[in-house]
Amino acid sequence: MEMIYDEEYWEMLEGFVATHEIVIDRPKGTIHLRYSNMLYKIDYGYIKNTISMDNEGIDIWIGTEGSNRVSGLICTIDRIKVDVEIKVLYNCLPEEMDYIYHFHNSSNYMKGILFERFSR
């Protein structure tokens, strides 16, 4: 089956980002609270007053591209938390999206799949 692309989905997601406060609780350069080998090289946080599958705010990575647009999503599965989550990639350069992909696939306990936004 061919992947179906719907620009309205990405625009609606951008609306969430544009109309809600973003809280960066793991700034670039910080170490993960539980895993000292995990360094955040890109700002990471959540979109305030939204709800994700873990009943917390929708997670978001904020890159340095500067376009003020959603770059993609990463869907993760976590064996430790026993959950699946979607994380928004915002203003991310291709190399930042590559870093995020590898960040979420660096152990046997979490895996992620990247959905990159593209234009037709």
Side-chain angles (χ1 to χ4, degrees), residues 55-83:
N55 288 321
E56 300 289 335
I58 298 169
D59 294 328
I60 188 166
W61 289 93
I62 307 288
T64 60
E65 197 270 330
S67 67
N68 294 327
R69 93 187 274 252
V70 172
S71 312
L73 294 170
I74 190 156
C75 182
T76 62
I77 184 166
D78 188 319
R79 287 184 179 172
I80 295 172
K81 289 171 48 179
V82 192
D83 77 352

Side-chain angles (χ1 to χ4, degrees), residues 54-111:
D54 62 357
N55 288 321
E56 300 289 335
I58 298 169
D59 294 328
I60 188 166
W61 289 93
I62 307 288
T64 60
E65 197 270 330
S67 67
N68 294 327
R69 93 187 274 252
V70 172
S71 312
L73 294 170
I74 190 156
C75 182
T76 62
I77 184 166
D78 188 319
R79 287 184 179 172
I80 295 172
K81 289 171 48 179
V82 192
D83 77 352
V84 172
E85 292 184 36
I86 293 174
K87 297 155 188 314
V88 176
L89 282 61
Y90 188 71
N91 281 338
C92 291
L93 296 164
E95 57 269 20
E96 291 170 328
M97 291 194 298
D98 186 55
Y99 164 79
I100 294 164
Y101 174 81
H102 289 290
F103 183 93
H104 288 291
N105 284 281
S106 63
S107 79
N108 291 326
Y109 301 105
M110 177 184 283
K111 296 297 172 194

Side-chain angles (χ1 to χ4, degrees), residues 8-54:
E8 290 179 5
Y9 175 87
W10 297 105
E11 290 170 2
M12 185 178 287
L13 190 53
E14 280 180 350
F16 277 26
V17 177
T19 59
H20 293 80
E21 179 183 349
I22 294 174
V23 177
I24 303 299
D25 56 358
R26 296 173 196 168
K28 176 180 179 177
T30 59
I31 303 292
H32 193 284
L33 297 173
R34 287 185 225 128
Y35 307 104
S36 61
N37 63 327
M38 296 179 76
L39 171 69
Y40 290 91
K41 294 182 179 179
I42 301 169
D43 287 336
Y44 181 75
Y46 63 94
I47 305 170
K48 194 171 181 176
N49 297 320
T50 62
I51 299 174
S52 188
M53 297 179 84
D54 62 357

